Amino acid sequence: QLQLAESGGGLVPPGGSVRLSCAVSGSNFDYTAIGWFRQAPGKEREAVACISGSGESTEYADSVQARLTISRDNAKNTVYLQMNGLQPEDTAVYFCGATLAHPTVPALCNPVPYDYWGQGTQVTVSA
């Protein structure tokens, strides 16, 4: 059983940056793929960035690849999402999800096997 807790969201001006954290409790973190997904009001949840358990593989949504960086510190059981150049359309609740199913690129961000989720953290991009 895994428990996930996101943090780091808030109000950010356009063009600003924020780093989200996903702290994971439970065993087998080194074998756990983590994905960041977001859901804007009135829209479906979409994947933005995902990382394999080892950290060797990452996958990004095309729309954000140039502005986002996902990383993990397995010693701290934490995954990070650095977001730069934020725009109002990035406003959403950001969730981290976890899976022990060992997905691989190009399906690392396929949400189907992600069966553990955090509560989400709100990111609002506004002047």
Side-chain angles (χ1 to χ4, degrees):
Q1 189 79 7
L2 299 175
Q3 292 184 328
L4 288 72
E6 303 94 338
S7 62
L11 178 63
V12 185
S17 299
V18 69
R19 188 177 79 159
L20 306 181
S21 299
C22 175
V24 181
S25 61
S27 59
N28 298 314
F29 182 71
D30 291 9
Y31 301 97
T32 304
I34 302 292
W36 282 100
F37 299 76
R38 68 185 181 186
Q39 187 164 19
K43 295 186 177 181
E44 294 186 355
R45 188 175 297 190
E46 63 174 350
V48 291
C50 304
I51 189 166
S52 63
S54 67
E56 293 180 354
S57 297
T58 58
E59 188 173 301
Y60 295 89
D62 290 342
S63 60
V64 301
Q65 185 167 8
R67 300 184 292 116
L68 271 58
T69 302
I70 190 170
S71 62
R72 65 191 293 155
D73 185 341
N74 283 4
K76 296 181 178 180
N77 278 27
T78 302
V79 172
Y80 305 98
L81 183 67
Q82 177 69 40
M83 300 194 292
N84 301 321
L86 287 164
Q87 299 301 319
E89 53 266 33
D90 294 313
T91 294
V93 178
Y94 285 73
F95 299 89
C96 60
T99 177
L100 292 165
H102 302 293
T104 57
V105 175
L108 189 54
C109 278
N110 183 337
V112 172
Y114 284 83
D115 43 17
Y116 300 97
W117 294 93
Q119 294 298 308
T121 185
Q122 176 73 45
V123 175
T124 302
V125 184
S126 175

